[in-house]
Amino acid sequence: MTREPEGPARLSPGTVAVTAGRPTRTPDSPLNPPLVLASTYAAGGELEYGRYGNPVWRAFEEALAALEGGGRALVFSSGMAAATALLELVPDRGRLVAPRHAYLGVLAIVADAQARGRVHSDVVDVADTARIERACERADVLWLESPTNPALEVADLPAACAAAHANGALAVVDNTFATPLLQRPLDLGADIVLHSATKYLAGHSDVQLGAVVTRDDELYERLDAYRRKTGAVAGPFETWLALRGLRTLHLRVERAQANAATLAERLAAHPAVVRVRYPGLPGDPGHARAAAQMNGFGAIVSIELADAAVADAFTDKLSLWVNSTSLGGVESTLERRRRWPGEPHTIPAGLLRMSVGVEDVEDLWADLEQALP
Ligand SMILES: *Cc1c(COP(=O)(O)O)cnc(C)c1O
């Protein structure tokens, strides 16, 4: 059974980010859900045990589901814990269609599952809709990321999800890069949305957290049962911090995205930059699709410098930008992705993934400009 979008549907997303998942207003009630540190609860209620539920989880889940346009969310201890729960939806020896470029941890668990014979995976370029349609003919689950990490390819989500459904497959979309403010995969046809809440949702580089959202009650029950049994549960404090971060998601994304657009344009005009990948640039291969299915182009920009040595020398000269993995925090970070041995070799050695933060854009540009060759 599929749930229709519900909740504060008439409020704009920024208002939902501020208001969803609050306690009922009664005299002296706190405005924020209090942090509840409990491994057990007095018997006879809905929660019973810390691995089964927590009031802070519920508040975060309510807020995230409202942002995704309705449905129900489940919080996990990390994005990878959530991804592992979703991979379990593929039946034994079932068929998974997976992206060739995606978050490295996701590529790794898919490759492991394939090596063990647990699943058969068919790896596709998410931008190649015809290829996805062919791959979906025998699939159980279509797993997409869009825009992809770190290549920033854009999938045609409505067409790809329709291809999955035409063959009875489930469509999973990792929405970490876009956030629910810029893209709502459930509205575009996805059955399940995956988030690394570690990134934009929490937003301050101090929390590890993941989540899934679905409007399908049966899928929700399966994933809830999986979480209860396997125990990849979120810490109440981490969840509380992520909910606190979520309250400013719209402000952070708006500013970071505006900074990214300015920097992408300037970088594209710089002679030392071989290529800029950013769906917001009119010449980007994903531009038209992103414009059709997203409310903005996000704040991740990938640039290619001549080679690994040039990219590393550039990175070493930066002082404001932090050389670090991960993304989606208030601070601007970047990293050369091929420094990770598992990164696919179709990602150029000189590619730097930049997570543009919310600092002053002229300060960010000055630091980049002085470091470029
Ligand atoms: C970081 C990330 C993940 C994994 O999340 P963790 O919270 O690090 O476990 C999954 N997908 C994408 C797109 C990510 O960026």
Side-chain angles (χ1 to χ4, degrees), residues 6-335:
E6 55 189 33
R10 302 284 163 257
L11 298 174
S12 72
T15 309
V16 173
V18 173
T19 57
R22 299 277 188 182
T24 313
R25 278 182 219 163
T26 54
D28 280 346
S29 61
L31 299 195
N32 297 295
L35 177 60
V36 177
L37 298 173
S39 63
T40 188
Y41 306 92
E46 280 173 31
L47 297 170
E48 297 278 6
Y49 188 52
R51 207 174 64 235
Y52 304 159
N54 182 285
V56 188
W57 292 2
R58 205 178 277 168
F60 177 82
E61 290 168 349
E62 231 176 85
L64 179 58
L67 283 171
E68 287 290 357
R72 283 190 288 172
L74 287 155
V75 66
F76 284 84
S77 54
S78 67
M80 285 312 301
T84 302
L86 295 185
L87 194 56
E88 285 296 309
L89 296 174
V90 186
D92 278 338
R93 287 171 296 286
R95 302 182 77 91
L96 172 71
V97 180
R100 64 171 179 156
H101 297 147
Y103 183 71
L104 207 48
V106 169
L107 295 182
I109 59 170
V110 169
D112 280 359
Q114 159 103 352
R116 282 183 285 132
R118 233 289 282 152
V119 305
H120 174 87
S121 75
D122 192 352
V123 173
V124 299
D125 171 358
V126 302
D128 187 345
T129 308
R131 174 77 179 83
I132 291 175
E133 285 168 348
R134 282 200 305 282
C136 277
E137 277 167 22
R138 294 188 299 152
D140 296 292
V141 172
L142 167 65
W143 188 302
L144 293 173
E145 198 175 290
S146 184
T148 59
N149 173 38
L152 297 172
E153 295 133 334
V154 179
D156 182 339
L157 291 180
C161 294
H165 293 157
N167 298 281
L170 289 175
V172 171
V173 174
D174 187 330
N175 203 26
T176 300
F177 271 37
T179 84
L181 298 180
L182 304 183
Q183 177 167 276
R184 282 185 174 181
L186 299 178
D187 290 345
L188 299 171
D191 299 287
I192 305 174
V193 170
L194 166 65
H195 279 287
S196 169
T198 306
K199 314 293 168 54
Y200 287 103
L201 299 182
H204 295 74
S205 309
D206 51 10
V207 166
Q208 197 93 54
L209 204 74
V212 300
V213 190
T214 182
R215 291 175 188 163
D216 184 307
D217 285 340
E218 195 229 314
L219 285 172
Y220 175 87
E221 299 301 339
R222 280 171 72 186
L223 292 163
D224 183 36
Y226 177 89
R227 184 176 67 174
R228 286 167 174 259
K229 279 187 274 196
T230 59
V233 293
F237 185 52
E238 280 74 6
T239 313
W240 189 90
L241 279 174
L243 182 58
R244 186 186 168 110
L246 201 65
R247 299 302 181 204
T248 55
L249 180 66
H250 52 307
L251 303 177
R252 292 184 283 107
V253 167
E254 201 179 292
R255 173 62 171 267
Q257 177 172 256
N259 285 352
T262 302
L263 296 178
E265 241 173 66
R266 291 185 191 176
L267 287 162
H270 196 286
V273 178
V274 177
R275 179 178 171 191
V276 177
R277 297 170 184 241
Y278 182 62
L281 291 175
D284 190 88
H287 179 70
R289 255 182 210 168
Q293 69 192 17
M294 297 175 74
N295 297 322
F297 304 106
I300 307 293
V301 178
S302 289
I303 60 169
E304 293 169 31
L305 299 186
D307 54 35
V310 171
D312 287 341
F314 164 72
T315 302
D316 287 343
K317 275 197 196 157
L318 294 166
S319 59
L320 185 55
W321 290 76
V322 188
N323 179 11
S324 80
T325 198
S326 198
L327 56 102
V330 289
E331 58 288 281
S332 293
T333 61
L334 87 173
E335 74 169 334

